[in-house]
Amino acid sequence: MSKNTRRTFLKTVGLAVGTAGVVGATTATKNRDEPHAVQNEVADTDSVETHATGWTFGPVGRMSSSPAVSDGLVYIGPDDGTLRAIDCSTGTLTWENDSAGTKDHLGLTYSDGSVYVGGEYDDDEFRLSSYMGETGELDNQKLVQNEPVQTPVVADGTAYYPTENQASPTILYAVDTETGETKWTFSGEDCGTGATKAIAEKDGHIFIAQDRTIWSLDAETGDVQWSYEDTNYSAISDLSAHNDILYVGLSRDETDPESPNILALDTEDGDTLWCEPIGYHENAQHVTATDDHLFASMYSDGSFYLTAIRTHDAHEEWEFRAEDGNFVPESTAKDGVVYAGHGSQVTAFDGATGTKRKTWQTTGDAYGAPVVTDNALYQNTRDGYVHKFDRDE
C-alpha cells in the first residue's frame, strides 16, 4: 500500500480558468494577505428572524448531530434514546420509536425510504440498524464488536458505518441495505486505536481517515486504491469530496509553524494539489466544498471561525469570527450561499463575499450542519430542539 506524502508528490494542476497554474505542496506565502472580515457587518435584511418563520419541536434529548430531511419528514435522534419523525409542514410528531435509541446521540442518514443509525444500545451491545422511514419499524439490524461513530454514509445499495477499533481492528462496515448482511469490513493497516474521524463517498470510492492516515477504498469491494499519510499535522478532522478533489480538515502540529490545517488531494490517485496553514488557525474541524469555494469551520485561541477559501489556489477570501467564543459547527452550502450556526443563531452568508443575507434565532447552541432544502432550513440545537425556518432570502 503506497503512502503518498506532500513531500513525495508535487502536482501541476489546471484548476483555474485560463492558464493552468502550479500549486505546490509547500505552503505558499502568496495566499497570506488578510481575508475580508465580516464579523461585525449588519445583515442585508437588517433583521434577526424568530421561530415564527417556521416551527420548533422539542425539547427532547440533547442534539449532537444534524437532522435528516426527506419525503416530507424530519428525522432526529437525540440522546434520550428515541428516534422520531416530524412532519415538515406542521412540526407535529408523525411517529417515534423508543426502542431505536442508544445511550448516546444518534448520527442518522436517510436514503431510499429508510433511516440508518449506528450506536450503543441499552443492553451494552453495539448495533448497525435501519428503520422504515414512513413508520419507524425496524428493517434490519446487526450486532458488531466496535462502537459506531460518526454518521453513516449510504450510496448505491450499501450503508457504510465507521467505528472505533477498541474491541477489534475493524474501522468500517459495509452493509447491504436490502439484506442487512455485511458486504465487507476494513481494518486500517498499522493505525492507532480510537474513533474513525471522517468518511466521505464520491463516484464509487469511500474515503476514510483515522489518526494521520487517509484511505481511498473501492466502494464495492473495500480494496485499498491509495493511502496518504504525513507527519506535518497532528490529526485529521474531516473530509469533503467534490469535483475529483478530496479536501481534508487537519489539526496543525504546534511545533511546526508551517504545519497545514487544510489539504487538497486528487481523488483518483491521492496526489497532493495544495496544502496550507489557512489563517494559521489551530485546526479545521469541518470542511464543505463547492465548485469555487471551500468553507471551513476553524478554531484558534478560544475563538471559532467560518472561513471561505478559493478551491483553485487556496486563497483565503473572507472570514467570519463568532462572538463570545461561540462554537461554529458544520456548515452547508447551497445555491451560492453558505449556512452555519454560531451560538444560538444560524446565518446565511453570501459564499463569494461573506455578506450576511439573513440570520435566524434558535433556542440554544446550534449543533450539526443545517439541512437546507429549496424553501426551508432545519437546524438542531444542543438544548433538545429542532427548528424549521423559511429561507425567504
Side-chain angles (χ1 to χ4, degrees), residues 71 73 75 85 94-95 110 113-115 131-137:
D71 296 335
L73 293 175
Y75 302 94
T94 298
W95 56 256
Y110 177 94
S114 295
V115 181
Y131 297 88
M132 302 301 294
E134 289 186 359
T135 64
E137 295 178 9

Side-chain angles (χ1 to χ4, degrees), residues 244-255:
D244 300 325
I245 301 176
L246 181 67
Y247 299 96
V248 186
L250 304 169
S251 293
R252 299 180 64 215
D253 181 352
E254 295 180 359
T255 65

Side-chain angles (χ1 to χ4, degrees), residues 180-245:
E181 296 299 318
T182 301
K183 288 185 173 182
W184 51 263
T185 62
F186 175 70
S187 302
E189 181 180 311
D190 299 326
C191 67
T193 300
T196 302
K197 295 299 184 183
I199 182 172
E201 184 273 339
K202 184 80 167 68
D203 298 335
H205 298 274
I206 294 295
F207 305 99
I208 189 166
Q210 190 180 54
D211 295 332
R212 290 191 175 101
T213 305
I214 303 164
W215 294 271
S216 172
L217 310 178
D218 183 285
E220 187 62 31
T221 65
D223 293 338
V224 175
Q225 307 300 299
W226 53 261
S227 68
Y228 177 100
E229 184 178 19
D230 207 342
T231 59
N232 68 326
Y233 50 83
S234 64
I236 296 168
S237 303
D238 195 30
L239 303 175
S240 180
H242 187 79
N243 284 354
D244 300 325
I245 301 176

Side-chain angles (χ1 to χ4, degrees), residues 9-283:
F9 291 97
L10 300 180
K11 188 154 185 155
T12 301
V13 290
L15 299 180
V17 176
T19 305
V22 178
V23 181
T26 57
T27 53
T29 56
K30 63 183 177 61
N31 296 324
R32 302 295 172 72
D33 51 315
E34 288 296 320
H36 172 50
V38 299
Q39 66 187 85
N40 294 319
E41 290 185 3
V42 178
D44 286 348
T45 56
D46 196 25
S47 64
V48 176
E49 300 293 342
T50 66
H51 313 132
T53 59
W55 48 255
T56 302
F57 179 91
V60 289
R62 179 175 61 94
M63 300 281 197
S64 298
S65 61
S66 300
V69 181
S70 189
D71 296 335
L73 293 175
V74 185
Y75 302 94
I76 58 172
D79 69 355
D80 67 352
T82 299
L83 183 64
R84 294 176 175 87
I86 302 156
D87 186 279
C88 284
S89 298
T90 64
T92 57
L93 183 68
T94 298
W95 56 256
E96 62 181 12
N97 185 339
D98 58 9
S99 66
T102 68
K103 292 180 176 180
D104 204 350
H105 71 273
L106 306 177
L108 52 84
T109 299
Y110 177 94
S111 179
D112 294 330
S114 295
V115 181
Y116 297 85
V117 178
E120 181 182 6
Y121 284 68
D122 290 334
D123 57 4
D124 297 327
E125 298 284 0
F126 302 125
R127 291 182 174 87
L128 313 178
S129 308
S130 64
Y131 297 88
M132 302 301 294
E134 289 186 359
T135 64
E137 295 178 9
L138 181 66
D139 186 12
N140 287 305
Q141 191 172 79
K142 66 184 299 88
L143 289 171
V144 293
Q145 287 183 281
N146 293 331
E147 181 177 7
V149 293
Q150 305 288 323
T151 298
V153 170
V154 182
D156 299 325
T158 304
Y160 302 92
Y161 294 87
T163 68
E164 54 85 50
N165 62 351
Q166 298 285 348
S168 78
T170 300
I171 62 173
L172 183 66
Y173 291 82
V175 178
D176 190 293
T177 57
E178 290 292 328
T179 66
E181 296 299 318
T182 301
K183 288 185 173 182
W184 51 263
T185 62
F186 175 70
S187 302
E189 181 180 311
D190 299 326
C191 67
T193 300
T196 302
K197 295 299 184 183
I199 182 172
E201 184 273 339
K202 184 80 167 68
D203 298 335
H205 298 274
I206 294 295
F207 305 99
I208 189 166
Q210 190 180 54
D211 295 332
R212 290 191 175 101
T213 305
I214 303 164
W215 294 271
S216 172
L217 310 178
D218 183 285
E220 187 62 31
T221 65
D223 293 338
V224 175
Q225 307 300 299
W226 53 261
S227 68
Y228 177 100
E229 184 178 19
D230 207 342
T231 59
N232 68 326
Y233 50 83
S234 64
I236 296 168
S237 303
D238 195 30
L239 303 175
S240 180
H242 187 79
N243 284 354
D244 300 325
I245 301 176
L246 181 67
Y247 299 96
V248 186
L250 304 169
S251 293
R252 299 180 64 215
D253 181 352
E254 295 180 359
T255 65
D256 180 359
E258 294 302 310
S259 176
N261 50 28
I262 299 285
L263 168 68
L265 303 175
D266 189 305
T267 57
E268 288 302 313
D269 52 25
D271 284 4
T272 300
L273 302 179
W274 51 261
C275 191
E276 289 287 328
I278 302 296
Y280 292 98
H281 295 304
E282 294 174 28
N283 61 55

